[in-house]
Amino acid sequence: MKLRPRDLPLLVAAIVLVTAFAAGALRYDHFASVAVVRNLLVDNAFLGVAAVGATFVILSGGIDLSVGAVMAFTGVVVAALVERGGVHPGIAIAIALALGAAFGLLQGAIIRGFALPAFLVTLAGMFLARGMAFAVEPQSRPIRHPFVATTLNESATIALPLGETSTTIPLTVSIGAVTFVVAWFVLRQTPFGRRVYAIGDDLQGATVLGLPVAATTIAVYAISGFLSALAGVVFVLYQQAGDPTACKGLELDAIAAVVIGGTLLRGGVGSVVGTLIGVLIYGLIQTIITFEGTLSSWWTRIVVGALILAFVAAQRGLERVGRRLADA
Amino acid sequence: MTDAASDPRGMARVLRAPATWALVALAALLVAGAVGSPGFLSVEMRDGRLYGTPIDILNHGSKVAIVAIGMTLVIATRGVDLSVGAVVAIASAIVATLVSQKGVAWPIAMAGALGAALLAGLWNGSLVTFLRLQPIVATLVLMVAGRGIAQLITDGQIVTVRDPAVAFLGNASLLLLPATVSALAVISALAWLGTRRTAFGLFLEAVGENERAARLSGIPVRPVLLVAYAACGLCAGVAGLIDCAYIRAADANNAGQLLELDAILAVVLGGTALTGGRFSLLGSVIGAMLMQTLTKVLYVFDVSADIAPAPKAAIVLAVCLLQSPTFRAACSRHLESARARLRPGTEARP
């Protein structure tokens, strides 16, 4: 396999992930254990799902700031329907997912239809979804329905027999894994995926080529809305509650993970594999800081900020080298 | 000068003026507030100072307005500064820690906080000009890391401030008005002088309109960008001092939370496009006051502070749509066809 310059950021991200894990394993006892890895996956499953949605939008050259608010909104919708409305959780989740997709579709339609900046429309969407979340449930509402507590959170786990270190994979992690695989397939193996890259790379060119630019743009925001709702459902399963204050600013964590994973915010370049690595790096930093014990939680922010800078600066450098090679 | 109402072209120009729709929305909100609560618009004089809801709006809107002025300069260059909320947290953390824990005199503490804010702005500007990062990514770095730095400064604690000089900006009055309003007036005047009485404003617009063309015509693009981001950082620093003065404390975790978004909304509502170029400082101040008035009016109508973002979003979207050329073209098409249907026999005007 030939290594292209644009794959380098991905490779570097993977090296950072492996190095950070190795450093943790050398420095702390019990770090390189199945339990730590399991927690890493469980605690970041909802971020992963949200980051996949952000990857679609960013690849298409847009941005979605409404992710965290839509997650909170769908969370309280599920909680309200199940606990107050007596609706079966399966149906409540289906309704929440449909609402999320519709919300994203509407945002996409406004962005595309009225040529308004995505930044603004999704910012308004963020305020709207957050306000609606509080309108549905002013406070956090626990979900006690046995279908959520027992069927989804216990029966739907996959047992992983690893001898002494046998463990289970909860449904939330499975949902995250399936999301990544499906997103990878859609982006890499379908005409729709190629269109997402095309409009992110060169919107005018894609328009001139006669690609269905409008439909693709709107679909991308609908996908992001749907995945935000799915991330909200994963969060509800994780917390067993619907909380209107949940996931404030999560869209920025998702964008940070996407950027660390080598996807350019300008659009057209990147991959969902990079996003997976970005999310894992993000989670690993938090794990290491917890293990260190003496470091306060705010170091997470500082390290993540520094990593974003390091990655985008490295990408810039690579681009310049690549251009010089192309010129020579 | 032609009468705007009698001359359709003059009327069209007024309708297209950047801040018009924000002003219309502001007037509508004030009327709504007055209808909902009869004393809404009244202002009275007490202890040599003006009191009343409009003064309150001015007072509380000033912080966002000051940040919005800095943000306008950055957005004019086709940039954006996501880090202003974090810079507010840093500035307020520095002034509070220096005064309360290190026993530094207040003028030095304030200068230190503003100096740090200026540095933050220069840092953003350097990433944009020298590393050629997209502004949204360049400022995302400080947005994520900055709040961590502020928490590092205060050691994660809420640092209270007893020094009356530091609290002055948040509570005292100057010339009948709250001191924050005076600060806003001074900063607006400086920004206006700096951009409209020198060539700097034109440079900003030229860079935002077409950076390449600006460079080729000899405009010092890099210094212009650096100054814009530095000024934005400095404005955020002033907002940090105000924030610290209001609550007489520095809360690194919550100070300036979501302020970047409020400021960007204020700028856009004021008619400055995110795509750069022409900008309106007055529009941004009106935009900030519009958001603050909206908050007050929602209180009048008993909308809880938690739900308030939803109607805010609706109004923001409405104003943005009214400013969107695509939306206006669609509307005028509909109007024309409606008019043609109402008056059969007469041709629809082109």
Side-chain angles (χ1 to χ4, degrees):
Chain A
M1 197 181 118
K2 206 172 148 242
L3 190 67
R4 292 165 300 174
R6 74 155 73 143
D7 288 333
L8 268 177
L10 194 63
L11 190 67
V12 175
I15 291 172
V16 167
L17 178 66
V18 173
T19 318
F21 191 80
L26 287 176
R27 193 170 156 84
Y28 315 108
D29 295 336
H30 314 300
F31 188 89
S33 66
V34 175
V36 169
V37 175
R38 181 183 184 273
N39 282 344
L40 179 66
L41 297 178
V42 171
D43 294 341
N44 293 290
F46 60 91
L47 177 63
V49 174
V52 170
T55 311
F56 272 90
V57 177
I58 291 172
L59 281 176
S60 80
I63 196 155
D64 187 351
L65 297 179
S66 68
V67 175
V70 171
M71 284 175 70
F73 174 63
T74 47
V76 294
V77 164
V78 171
L81 284 176
V82 172
E83 293 295 320
R84 283 197 308 183
V87 179
H88 188 271
I91 298 169
I93 289 174
I95 292 174
L97 293 178
L99 277 178
F103 193 85
L105 188 86
L106 190 66
Q107 291 191 125
I110 294 174
I111 291 167
R112 183 63 213 179
F114 300 116
L116 285 175
F119 191 92
L120 267 184
V121 174
T122 59
L123 179 56
M126 165 183 155
F127 284 151
L128 190 65
R130 185 65 69 180
M132 290 196 306
F134 277 103
V136 174
E137 287 286 356
Q139 252 123 37
S140 178
R141 181 178 290 276
I143 300 179
R144 299 202 178 82
H145 195 284
F147 182 77
V148 172
T150 319
T151 315
L152 292 182
N153 272 349
E154 283 174 19
S155 310
T157 53
I158 301 168
L160 206 61
L162 291 172
E164 275 176 35
T165 56
S166 280
T167 187
T168 54
I169 299 175
L171 180 65
T172 52
V173 175
S174 310
I175 293 177
V178 171
T179 307
F180 272 101
V181 172
V182 171
W184 177 84
F185 180 81
V186 169
L187 281 173
R188 283 291 160 177
Q189 307 291 332
T190 66
F192 173 75
R194 283 192 288 279
R195 269 181 239 136
V196 172
Y197 277 93
I199 63 173
D201 187 48
D202 183 358
L203 184 63
Q204 264 188 328
T207 314
V208 172
L209 280 174
L211 296 180
V213 173
T216 309
T217 308
I218 295 171
V220 159
Y221 285 94
I223 289 173
S224 179
F226 173 80
L227 287 178
S228 303
L230 187 60
V233 168
V234 170
F235 194 73
V236 162
L237 294 179
Y238 176 68
Q239 301 266 306
Q240 303 213 0
D243 183 358
T245 62
C247 306
K248 269 195 179 153
L250 190 113
E251 52 280 346
L252 290 164
D253 295 338
I255 293 171
V258 171
V259 170
I260 292 176
T263 298
L264 296 188
L265 266 184
R266 142 161 84 58
V269 178
S271 70
V272 79
V273 180
T275 301
L276 176 62
I277 297 175
V279 170
L280 290 178
I281 291 178
Y282 194 93
L284 200 56
I285 293 170
Q286 281 171 323
T287 311
I288 289 177
I289 283 169
T290 319
F291 261 80
E292 186 64 38
T294 54
L295 282 181
S296 313
S297 60
W298 45 84
W299 279 101
T300 312
R301 294 178 151 279
I302 300 179
V303 173
V304 170
L307 267 185
I308 296 175
L309 177 62
F311 275 91
V312 290
Q315 283 167 8
R316 268 286 167 218
L318 284 174
E319 262 175 44
R320 276 185 201 174
V321 172
R323 216 174 297 135
R324 213 163 294 156
L325 285 179
D327 288 346
Chain B
M1 200 179 139
T2 50
D3 183 9
S6 64
D7 175 9
R9 255 187 239 149
M11 193 64 203
R13 198 181 307 150
V14 170
L15 285 180
R16 231 181 291 128
T20 303
W21 291 108
L23 266 179
V24 169
L26 184 61
L29 280 177
L30 288 175
V31 170
V35 169
S37 140
F40 192 78
L41 292 176
S42 73
V43 175
E44 57 176 298
M45 186 87 165
R46 234 185 292 150
D47 310 328
R49 177 177 175 176
L50 295 170
Y51 282 91
T53 315
I55 305 295
D56 254 20
I57 291 173
L58 277 176
N59 189 5
H60 288 106
S62 291
K63 189 174 75 178
V64 177
I66 288 172
V67 177
I69 286 176
M71 188 71 80
T72 310
L73 304 181
V74 169
I75 288 180
T77 68
R78 198 179 287 212
V80 74
D81 187 350
L82 295 182
S83 73
V84 286
V87 174
V88 163
I90 292 179
S92 92
I94 288 181
V95 75
T97 330
L98 284 184
V99 166
S100 295
Q101 294 179 348
K102 307 267 186 260
V104 176
W106 67 267
I108 300 173
M110 282 193 175
L114 291 181
L118 185 67
L119 267 184
L122 281 173
W123 159 268
N124 285 331
S126 307
L127 291 185
V128 172
T129 48
F130 298 117
L131 267 183
R132 316 268 336 130
L133 294 183
Q134 275 171 284
I136 191 167
V137 191
T139 56
L140 180 68
V141 172
L142 194 57
M143 179 193 191
V144 174
R147 201 165 287 282
I149 293 171
Q151 284 172 315
L152 194 64
I153 294 170
T154 61
D155 202 24
Q157 309 289 317
I158 295 177
V159 182
T160 53
V161 177
R162 296 229 163 68
D163 192 313
V166 175
F168 179 83
L169 257 182
N171 309 287
S173 66
L174 275 177
L175 304 173
L176 301 181
L177 289 171
T180 43
V181 182
S182 315
L184 170 63
V186 170
I187 287 178
S188 311
L190 286 178
W192 184 79
L193 284 175
T195 54
R196 299 302 186 202
R197 281 288 163 265
T198 69
F200 183 65
L202 281 178
F203 286 2
L204 279 176
E205 292 182 344
V207 171
E209 206 64 61
N210 187 334
E211 193 178 319
R212 212 174 130 79
R215 182 172 301 127
L216 292 177
S217 58
I219 290 172
V221 172
R222 284 181 170 184
V224 166
L225 283 171
L226 270 181
V227 170
Y229 282 91
C232 187
L234 201 56
C235 286
V238 175
L241 296 184
I242 292 176
D243 196 84
C244 183
Y246 267 145
I247 59 172
R248 294 172 194 259
D251 179 359
N253 203 23
N254 292 312
Q257 194 77 266
L258 289 181
L259 189 62
E260 55 282 343
L261 301 179
D262 282 342
I264 294 170
L265 278 184
V267 173
V268 172
L269 288 179
T272 303
L274 283 179
T275 43
R278 291 180 65 178
F279 66 94
S280 162
L281 292 170
L282 180 67
S284 300
V285 174
I286 294 174
M289 294 306 165
L290 172 64
M291 300 291 291
Q292 190 59 41
T293 311
L294 185 52
T295 310
K296 282 277 177 208
V297 170
L298 290 174
Y299 283 150
V300 167
F301 287 102
D302 267 343
V303 179
S304 94
D306 288 331
I307 302 177
K312 267 189 190 175
I315 293 193
V316 165
L317 256 187
V319 174
C320 288
L321 280 177
L322 286 171
Q323 288 171 345
S324 144
T326 320
F327 181 78
R328 275 197 226 166
C331 279
S332 52
R333 265 202 312 278
H334 279 292
L335 273 180
E336 289 298 338
S337 60
R339 227 176 269 163
R341 252 179 282 126
L342 279 176
R343 282 181 293 172
T346 49
E347 291 283 314
R349 274 189 300 172

